[in-house]
Amino acid sequence: MGNHKLRATIRLFWRIIAICLVGVGLLGVVLPGLPTVVFLLMAAWCAGKGWPALEDWLLNHPHWGLSIRNWRVYGAVPRKAKVLASIMMSMSLILLWLSAIHLYWQFALTLVLASVLLWLWLRPELSQEN
């Protein structure tokens, strides 16, 4: 009986995390600068661990499903997402460098964001019609 309770608790944990990630992803629909698909990718992954029906719903969603499937199968990121991410990161860097944050952190965060951008632009691209 203890093993069943543990599995149920773990499944509940993954469901709660998935729902929270879907919620944050949906906030991204209305809040500029907050990505939607990134959080839905994570939600689909968590749902796959404890809520297959939610995972299926996300994978087959008419608007975001293709992006999630393309990421899972090909590790692909659409060019539009790359451009938007680049713009948002650039704006963040401008604000960072205009701030009073210690120079060490400015350089460190610039290096991190530059690394993320390099990684992002090295991802394959697929059209959103595949």
Side-chain angles (χ1 to χ4, degrees), residues 61-129:
H61 190 277
H63 188 71
W64 297 296
L66 181 60
S67 294
I68 296 169
R69 292 190 309 271
N70 281 343
W71 173 255
R72 279 193 173 182
V73 175
Y74 306 106
V77 178
R79 181 171 297 260
K80 179 181 176 184
K82 292 178 181 183
V83 169
L84 287 172
S86 298
I87 291 168
M88 296 313 250
M89 285 189 216
S90 297
M91 291 171 58
S92 296
L93 282 175
I94 290 168
L95 292 174
L96 173 72
W97 281 94
L98 292 174
S99 73
I101 294 176
H102 191 278
L103 194 59
Y104 169 82
W105 289 110
Q106 290 176 332
F107 278 111
L109 291 169
T110 299
L111 181 62
V112 168
L113 287 180
S115 299
V116 169
L117 276 177
L118 177 64
W119 173 86
L120 180 66
W121 282 95
L122 291 174
R123 304 281 39 98
E125 292 177 13
L126 295 174
S127 76
Q128 286 300 321
E129 298 159 6

